[in-house]
Amino acid sequence: MQVWHRILPQVDSFAEQSVMGWGNRGWVEIIEMILEICEMGALKTHIMYKCNLNSKQITQYLQFLQDRKLIDLIRKPPTSKRPSFITTEIGKKYIYVYKQLENIFKND
């Protein structure tokens, strides 16, 4: 779990940014949703619609996740003009930890 000490300090500045439309969901939940959608690979527009985010928001989230190595950009085939995003191993660890925390806070 030594990766988290590199990610968490950088997360604070992202969390403090004011992004219109975050509403009831927190950025931690939105990130988990993006990572789940990207597990098998997903186009930017698909992620945007499934997460109900606008173009500016999805661009910020995807850049944030790429910078922290939680997702990778892939092109299938290599000549494709429409890249996909896929969850990395670090991203999968994030999903796992998120699910554990979610189970702790569930109302039984």
Side-chain angles (χ1 to χ4, degrees):
M1 291 283 179
Q2 52 187 300
V3 173
W4 299 114
H5 70 86
R6 292 190 319 233
I7 295 173
L8 292 177
Q10 299 166 349
V11 166
D12 289 336
S13 64
F14 180 76
E16 291 172 6
Q17 290 179 1
S18 175
V19 179
M20 297 281 295
W22 277 16
N24 296 328
R25 296 180 296 167
W27 60 273
V28 173
E29 180 182 357
I30 294 169
I31 287 173
E32 190 270 339
M33 184 182 284
I34 292 170
L35 293 173
E36 277 194 349
I37 292 167
C38 292
E39 280 190 290
M40 301 301 286
L43 296 171
K44 180 179 178 178
T45 52
H46 294 168
I47 303 164
M48 183 173 74
Y49 290 122
K50 288 180 180 180
C51 293
N52 195 27
L53 297 171
N54 64 39
S55 181
K56 180 181 176 184
Q57 290 169 321
I58 196 61
T59 299
Q60 288 175 330
Y61 276 106
L62 293 176
Q63 188 60 57
F64 176 82
L65 295 173
Q66 282 182 281
D67 291 347
R68 282 138 190 95
K69 311 263 188 269
L70 295 170
I71 60 171
D72 278 332
L73 184 120
I74 58 170
R75 293 184 189 274
K76 287 187 182 178
T79 57
S80 174
K81 293 181 181 181
R82 297 180 60 189
S84 294
F85 295 90
I86 192 156
T87 304
T88 64
E89 288 303 313
I90 297 170
K92 290 176 184 178
K93 287 179 186 177
Y94 182 102
I95 293 169
Y96 176 76
V97 171
Y98 180 89
K99 296 290 185 196
Q100 287 182 318
L101 288 171
E102 187 176 51
N103 287 333
I104 290 170
F105 293 109
K106 272 186 180 173
N107 293 331
D108 288 7

